[in-house]
Amino acid sequence: MTRRRRSLLINGLLVVVLLGAGVAGYLVFFGSSGNAQSTTTARTAAAANRDVSEVVTASGTVQSSFSAVASFGASGTVTEVNVKVGDAVTKGQQLAKLDPTQAQLQVDIAQGNLNAALEKGTGTNALLTAYRQTQLALQQAKDNLAATVLTAPGDGTITSVTGAVGQKVGSGSTSSSSSTSSTTSATTTASGFVVVTDLKNLVVKANVSESDVSKLKADQAATVTVNAMAGTPVQAKVTTVDLTPTTANNVVQYGVSLALTQPPAELKPGQSASVEITVASAQGVLAVPAAAVQTVSGASSVQVVENGVESRKTVEVGVRGDQYVEIKSGLTAGEEVVLPQVSTSNSTNRQQQPGTGQFPGTGGGQRNSGGLTGTGR
């Protein structure tokens, strides 16, 4: 055989081999991706007796049931500060005191004027009016003297003291012994001479959406999970539901206050919490998964399967939970209801092994296929 014929034969064989390899690679790499099959798997669940609860969830904050800002109701120089942060106090206990010299002088002058008015008598309208004016002036002077002593507006713990001995203060908005600003819905951060906070009787203040507020009422049971103590849920009860909403970023919400049954000792005001309020419940009732119930124009129905044949039944529902719905009538225990179908795909996908330089599918790639089945029970 001549050298030329031998060269042509070898070139022809190479062309055939390369074409065969290309076709095989194409079929392996592209053929499997085009053979994905989509199937649906029917899922069913049996109607069975169980406990069903409907809950409303919300986020909230741990707060004190009582917090008040106390400030002097008179002007003067501070001569005593009788408490420090952390001290426990009772209502009416002295917290601080102003120099009473000026206020006492005003009392003495007013008392002298009243005595003089009494000596003149009250026989005429003019004398009676003068006498009453001196009475009023004396009472005002006494109130101003009493206001030089700052007292606790309620039982609690001192959480802030901003004043100090030698400080000059102005009179408050009232002439009482202490001007206080209290709240039961939030831990106050307002400035004042002293802040008193009840750290024993803590509450949770949460916000619920406008769509859920109509379901809430006092004494409903709730579970509070403080984020800082996620493993220690606390039982609670709804105490009040706000009558007026708050609106932020076009979101309307209503405030809800909850009393904690046995709060942990380490619980602190300001901690964030998650709240679940049970608004309806039923024990040992016939129920099916919520996904099986379809409600249109107020009428509820389920798809049931019997002997391989599906049919739709109208049902009367009761408590609607997130996972299960109570069935009052229309079904019996053990009947299989159809759940929404789940689409699954079975496909072959071969990939080139990195670093081998081989065609996809020729380097030992594995076939990945997926399938999902379930009964929903």
Side-chain angles (χ1 to χ4, degrees):
M1 180 181 297
T2 65
R3 181 178 298 178
R4 182 178 179 182
R5 291 180 62 188
R6 187 181 303 156
S7 176
L8 291 173
L9 179 59
I10 292 173
N11 290 338
L13 290 174
L14 287 175
V15 171
V16 172
V17 171
L18 290 175
L19 286 174
V23 172
Y26 179 88
L27 291 176
V28 170
F29 186 75
F30 295 100
S32 63
S33 63
N35 292 334
Q37 296 179 351
S38 179
T39 62
T40 56
T41 302
R43 302 189 304 155
T44 63
N49 292 331
R50 64 177 67 247
D51 296 342
V52 181
S53 296
E54 180 183 0
V55 299
V56 170
T57 59
S59 58
T61 307
V62 178
Q63 299 173 357
S64 170
S65 60
F66 171 80
S67 190
V69 175
S71 298
F72 283 103
S75 302
T77 302
V78 179
T79 57
E80 296 180 25
V81 177
N82 309 110
V83 293
K84 62 183 183 301
V85 173
D87 287 350
V89 297
T90 57
K91 185 176 182 178
Q93 179 178 333
Q94 180 174 313
L95 305 178
K97 188 176 181 181
L98 299 178
D99 182 357
T101 302
Q102 189 68 24
Q104 183 61 60
L105 180 60
Q106 294 295 329
V107 171
D108 294 341
I109 293 173
Q111 184 65 60
N113 292 336
L114 178 62
N115 294 339
L118 282 174
E119 290 178 358
K120 293 180 181 180
T122 58
T124 65
N125 288 337
L127 291 175
L128 179 60
T129 299
Y131 170 71
R132 289 176 175 173
Q133 287 176 339
T134 56
Q135 275 186 316
L136 179 61
L138 176 60
Q139 186 58 52
Q140 290 175 338
K142 288 181 176 180
D143 290 342
N144 194 53
L145 177 61
T148 61
V149 177
L150 184 63
T151 59
D155 298 346
T157 301
I158 303 298
T159 53
S160 174
V161 178
T162 58
V165 173
Q167 177 182 342
K168 294 185 180 297
V169 299
S171 60
S173 58
T174 66
S175 58
S176 61
S177 61
S178 64
S179 175
T180 63
S181 174
S182 63
T183 174
T184 58
S185 62
T187 300
T188 181
T189 57
S191 60
F193 196 91
V194 175
V195 177
V196 180
T197 304
D198 184 356
L199 298 180
K200 295 181 179 180
N201 300 305
L202 299 177
V203 299
V204 171
K205 184 73 173 181
N207 292 312
V208 300
S209 65
E210 57 181 325
S211 60
D212 289 330
V213 69
S214 60
K215 304 175 185 177
L216 304 183
K217 60 183 179 181
D219 293 330
Q220 285 176 328
T223 300
V224 174
T225 303
V226 180
N227 295 347
M229 296 176 285
T232 310
V234 182
Q235 299 305 307
K237 281 190 175 182
V238 175
T239 54
T240 59
V241 180
D242 291 352
L243 298 178
T244 56
T246 58
T247 303
N249 297 324
N250 295 323
V251 177
V252 179
Q253 294 182 314
Y254 287 79
V256 180
S257 296
L258 302 101
L260 302 176
T261 304
Q262 292 182 335
E266 60 271 24
L267 199 62
K268 302 294 182 184
Q271 292 178 318
S272 56
S274 300
V275 178
E276 288 187 354
I277 304 171
T278 302
V279 297
S281 62
Q283 286 72 43
V285 296
L286 189 66
V288 297
V293 181
Q294 296 182 358
T295 301
V296 179
S297 301
S300 298
S301 63
V302 296
Q303 191 83 359
V304 299
V305 58
E306 184 177 4
N307 297 326
V309 179
E310 294 187 11
S311 61
R312 181 159 293 279
K313 285 188 175 183
T314 301
V315 295
E316 180 186 0
V317 301
V319 178
R320 289 180 177 267
D322 290 336
Q323 295 182 335
Y324 294 95
V325 174
E326 176 190 3
I327 303 298
K328 289 188 172 183
S329 64
L331 283 181
T332 58
E335 286 192 84
E336 296 284 338
V337 296
V338 179
L339 301 178
Q341 292 182 335
V342 176
S343 296
T344 62
S345 61
N346 297 320
S347 62
T348 301
N349 183 18
R350 296 181 181 269
Q351 297 181 350
Q352 179 180 347
Q353 296 297 318
T356 64
Q358 297 175 345
F359 284 103
T362 63
Q366 296 181 350
R367 182 184 299 271
N368 297 326
S369 60
L372 175 64
T373 60
T375 63
R377 297 183 183 177

